[in-house]
Amino acid sequence: MSAPAACSIGFIRNAAVLTLPPAETAPTAAPDKSAPLKFASEFPVGGGVRDIGRWREAAPGWQSWKLRLTSEGARSLSLHFRPFDLPEGGALWVCAPQSRKQGPYTLLGPSGRGGLWTPQVKGGEIWVEVLVPETVKDQVKLKIAEAFAGYRE
């Protein structure tokens, strides 16, 4: 049995919403040339699939966890997941209204170390969806450590 499509048209209707603080504006002073260029505000989240988001049946035999994060004024959003540990058959997708679907991210993430830094998505809204076989839903270990609201292009 194949997994249902992620980030479908009904995503917004079925997703829980987490509103982040508004994105900062870019500093007006010239950046320190010896320091990395700061492009985003960092917001601790600390919530996982048992604290935030919403589980629903996606299709017979499949469960879906959905979360929609927003930050007013953000030019981009990205997320850091730690831990990131999905059971066999599970996958995480990142989507947004103005971006293409990214993923699937599976098992221990791209590095194989149990973490995931998502690419930036354009705009002030990012969608996250996890699809897993119903029989392994309780094995999902996933927490959003931080969200990053970009204020530079």
Side-chain angles (χ1 to χ4, degrees):
M1 172 174 20
S2 61
C7 300
S8 63
I9 292 176
F11 183 93
I12 291 176
R13 182 177 60 248
N14 296 317
V17 178
L18 178 62
T19 303
L20 301 167
E24 296 175 16
T25 56
T28 54
D32 177 357
K33 300 276 187 212
S34 64
L37 179 65
K38 188 172 179 192
F39 70 93
S41 302
E42 178 181 340
F43 301 116
V45 177
V49 294
R50 295 181 192 11
D51 314 309
I52 57 176
R54 182 177 294 144
W55 282 104
R56 297 215 180 225
E57 181 181 53
W62 288 91
Q63 288 288 311
S64 168
W65 176 82
K66 296 179 181 183
L67 181 63
R68 182 175 156 221
L69 297 95
T70 63
S71 177
E72 186 179 329
R75 293 180 179 216
S76 65
L77 287 170
S78 60
L79 304 171
H80 174 216
F81 290 88
R82 187 81 183 165
F84 182 93
D85 186 0
L86 297 178
E88 187 71 37
L92 179 138
W93 296 86
V94 175
C95 315
Q98 300 173 1
S99 299
R100 61 182 173 80
K101 184 168 45 174
Q102 299 173 26
Y105 301 103
T106 60
L107 302 173
L108 293 173
S111 69
R113 296 185 197 140
L116 173 66
W117 296 82
T118 70
Q120 296 173 331
V121 297
K122 186 174 180 152
E125 187 171 325
I126 188 169
W127 305 347
V128 181
E129 183 166 10
V130 175
L131 292 164
V132 293
E134 188 172 357
T135 56
V136 294
K137 172 185 158 190
D138 292 337
Q139 296 174 28
V140 173
K141 295 179 186 90
L142 184 70
K143 188 176 280 191
I144 302 173
E146 299 99 17
F148 300 89
Y151 51 78
R152 293 188 194 271
E153 287 291 328

